[in-house]
Amino acid sequence: MKKRIGFMGLGIMGRAMAANLLKAGFPVTVYNRDKQKTLPLADMGALAADSPRQLADNCDVAILMVTGPEAIDELLFGIDGAAEGLAGKLCVNMSSVSPAYSRELAASLEAEGAVLIDAPVSGTKKPAEDGLLVILASGPEQTVRDLDDIFRAMGRKVVYCGPAGQGSMMKMTVNHLLGVMMHAFAEALLFGERGGLSMDAMVETIQSGAMACPMYQAKAPLLASGNYPASFPLKHMAKDLKYVLDTAYETGAHIPAAQAALGMYLLARERGLGDMDFAAVDKAMRDMLKG
């Protein structure tokens, strides 16, 4: 019999991930502060809980996919929070948080009799919809292995990263590279454009050599058009790069490229671009040239 899943957080990523669990035949109960977001999933067969605690009582595995620690703390430990109903159960946090917070969360849930699986994802909106995410899982290894059918309903690969907190460390490592790469891509194309090169020629050159990658291929049309529909909102990249810098301070890592990139993402957020795709760091650079 398939495990009963409780899914909290139905934003860009969570909605698609919960839908894929339903398509794979799992019994799913969903909760979201905005109840309107539960309706499409209810139409697919999900139950809609009135509170996180009700969701916890109705599941074997609770999954969270929300914006960060504040939302997680509210869902688990706030009024009608899920934590008290998770004794003897698993809580899988797939949200992007710092490694330090993940370790603290594991300890808090252990005090409630629950086990945390720290399992953020690599991938954005389209991979989430297609069930092609990469799951960066950490916690007790056998427990992670036992969740393989659940993870495989949402992703194409599961990478075991170590004890709780190491999944978040891997996620920050990936987003460190992603944020710096996007910043560098936008900067290089703007540099070439100011020197008289066409966007098409630059992208063709980059995609024809060792620097070719799917991310650049996907983001190039956004930069060319000046439209940045969100697959991964810029405000979330700024948040994650702040976690990266905080973690680097704790570990003693020297990361000047990430620090420079964070400054530009923060500037973009301050200019009202936070809800656009993180490729909108390009627009922030262009706006700087205008003064």
Side-chain angles (χ1 to χ4, degrees):
M1 184 176 295
K2 290 184 179 288
K3 297 179 182 70
R4 298 173 302 156
I5 309 299
F7 204 107
M8 294 184 276
L10 303 176
I12 290 174
M13 300 289 288
R15 179 171 59 250
M17 293 161 71
N20 283 332
L21 287 166
L22 285 164
K23 290 173 187 175
F26 287 95
V28 178
T29 300
V30 294
Y31 175 80
N32 199 82
R33 284 177 295 181
D34 179 357
K35 291 190 176 182
Q36 287 294 116
K37 291 185 176 181
T38 68
L39 297 180
L41 293 161
D43 288 343
M44 294 178 65
L47 298 176
D50 292 326
S51 69
R53 176 57 193 266
Q54 186 183 74
L55 177 143
D57 290 339
N58 201 45
C59 74
D60 305 306
V61 179
I63 298 176
L64 296 102
M65 188 60 170
V66 293
T67 54
E70 296 81 6
I72 293 168
D73 288 345
E74 179 64 25
L75 289 169
L76 292 177
F77 306 110
I79 297 172
D80 283 333
E84 290 185 359
L86 292 177
K89 300 178 181 181
L90 300 179
C91 180
V92 181
N93 179 39
M94 306 188 82
S95 320
S96 295
V97 298
S98 72
Y101 175 79
S102 285
R103 291 189 289 269
E104 293 168 3
L105 182 60
S108 297
L109 286 169
E110 184 178 5
E112 299 287 348
V115 174
L116 175 70
I117 301 300
D118 168 36
V121 303
S122 178
T124 55
K125 180 181 178 182
K126 188 66 164 61
E129 291 172 344
D130 294 342
L132 296 176
L133 297 168
V134 177
I135 315 295
L136 310 174
S138 64
E141 185 169 4
Q142 187 55 53
T143 305
V144 170
R145 304 298 180 204
D146 291 343
L147 292 173
D148 191 68
D149 58 340
I150 293 173
F151 289 146
R152 293 286 181 173
M154 297 180 284
R156 62 180 175 84
K157 186 178 182 67
V158 181
V159 179
Y160 180 68
C161 300
Q166 293 305 95
S168 290
M169 187 69 207
M170 187 68 79
K171 173 66 172 179
M172 292 305 103
T173 300
V174 169
N175 276 16
H176 174 185
L177 182 60
L178 185 65
V180 169
M181 284 176 65
M182 187 66 249
H183 176 265
F185 186 51
E187 183 179 284
L189 292 179
L190 184 55
F191 167 77
E193 185 181 293
R194 298 286 283 190
L197 296 174
S198 73
M199 175 73 75
D200 287 346
M202 287 186 287
V203 171
E204 181 180 0
T205 300
I206 291 168
Q207 290 298 105
S208 297
M211 294 172 290
C213 72
M215 194 269 280
Y216 288 164
Q217 185 173 8
K219 300 305 181 185
L222 279 62
L223 274 59
S225 68
N227 295 313
Y228 311 92
S231 292
F232 180 29
L234 185 144
K235 62 186 177 185
H236 295 334
M237 177 56 79
K239 168 187 69 88
D240 286 357
L241 284 178
K242 174 61 166 57
Y243 292 151
V244 167
L245 261 68
D246 289 345
T247 304
Y249 180 82
E250 294 165 6
T251 62
H254 184 51
I255 52 170
Q259 192 162 10
L262 174 59
M264 189 58 65
Y265 286 108
L266 290 175
L267 176 64
R269 190 183 67 181
E270 289 167 6
R271 293 186 175 220
L273 308 179
D275 290 325
M276 296 182 184
D277 192 81
F278 75 109
V281 68
D282 165 72
K283 179 170 170 54
M285 292 180 186
R286 293 176 181 279
D287 288 348
M288 283 179 63
L289 293 177
K290 298 175 184 175

